Amino acid sequence: MAVLVVSLYVLLLVVITCEIARKLLCRERRGYEVYVAEIISTVQLCACSHELQLLSDDAPEIALTLTYVISVVHARTFRSAAGNPGAVLERYWCGSLSGACALRRIACQLAAAAAAGLGMQRAWAFELSDLHARHARSGFACASPIEHVGLLEAVAVELGCAFAVHAAATLTRGVEEKYRVHAVAAVITAVVYAGGSTTGAVFNPALALTSQFPCTGSTFVKNILVYWLGPVLGIACSLLLFNKVIVAFTSKSTSDKDQNLMKKRN
């Protein structure tokens, strides 16, 4: 119970600190606030994910429940920030971001993710709980979850996780925001439960950079393919399905109905 209380306080402190920083630094429109928001929101996402990942070793059920809660909190506080290079690439592919802006936002996310990882190590070094103390004594070492997993299987899991989350976000775009965030959070929790034991279910290249790349048991190239290529392919497949295949099929069906109706009238 003491471990859980400390982790809850850490999560609460991270969210409150980041929200205060957003309100102070992003309230003036000077052109750079979108990058500041990306940095702050990515720090929030990665710091909370690190704490939950650590907590999952001792209390996986509680960590999974908190994953749902913190996903809702992220969705309600991030505003226009993505916190995920895959989401930035989606906006670029859809034409809402220029290439230069997308690259700058991704650079901000990667830098913020690295900073969050170092910041959490500093926080764990205070050994506020037994969980933190054990992790600090191990030198913050971690083992890669894909050490004994085949490359294709690992890529498929990360692809599937990213596809499922993006599909949920796409299908709920017409839903009122206060309900939509819970639907997407539920899907995120489900994919973390389903894929967590295989790859960690990261589906975020920035988060993977700081949570999986430093771990032993996997190579840099394998991490690139699994944690960077996999999620990008998952989002690309979702975009292809919903923006191309389904739209084309729907347009064809509508066209066929109109032609049949015209034939009947004639």
Side-chain angles (χ1 to χ4, degrees), residues 41-58:
S41 297
T42 305
V43 166
Q44 176 180 317
L45 183 146
C46 292
C48 291
S49 296
H50 278 299
E51 186 66 27
L52 290 175
Q53 184 179 1
L54 196 61
L55 183 62
S56 66
D57 294 335
D58 273 23

Side-chain angles (χ1 to χ4, degrees), residues 4-6 19 52 54 77 82 90 108 117 163 214 226:
L4 175 60
V5 170
V6 171
E19 184 63 11
L52 290 175
L54 196 61
T77 57
E90 177 203 358
C108 288
F163 178 88
V226 173

Side-chain angles (χ1 to χ4, degrees), residues 97-174:
L97 281 182
S98 67
C101 181
L103 287 176
R104 286 193 293 268
R105 292 178 77 155
I106 290 174
C108 288
Q109 291 169 350
L110 296 177
L118 293 174
M120 291 306 293
Q121 288 185 7
R122 294 290 182 90
W124 292 330
F126 287 106
E127 301 184 4
L128 299 176
S129 71
D130 291 339
L131 183 61
H132 291 178
R134 291 199 304 271
H135 194 45
R137 285 194 295 268
S138 71
F140 309 111
C142 59
S144 174
I146 60 174
E147 180 178 3
H148 303 295
V149 180
L151 176 61
L152 291 180
E153 180 185 357
V155 172
V157 169
E158 284 296 306
L159 186 155
C161 290
F163 178 88
V165 173
H166 186 269
T170 301
L171 291 171
T172 56
R173 278 177 183 163

Side-chain angles (χ1 to χ4, degrees), residues 12 16 24 28 30 40 45 70 74 77 107 111 117 119 129 131 143 161 163 190 211 214 219-220 227 231 236 265:
L12 187 62
I16 291 175
L24 291 176
E28 296 183 7
R30 294 182 178 178
I40 296 171
L45 183 146
I70 206 67
H74 291 333
T77 57
S129 71
L131 183 61
C161 290
F163 178 88
S211 66
T219 65
F220 180 78
Y227 295 113
R265 289 180 178 178

Side-chain angles (χ1 to χ4, degrees), residues 29 34 37-38 77-82 91 105:
R29 300 291 178 181
V34 291
E38 284 292 353
T77 57
F78 276 19
R79 300 178 182 88
S80 61
R91 297 177 188 181
R105 292 178 77 155

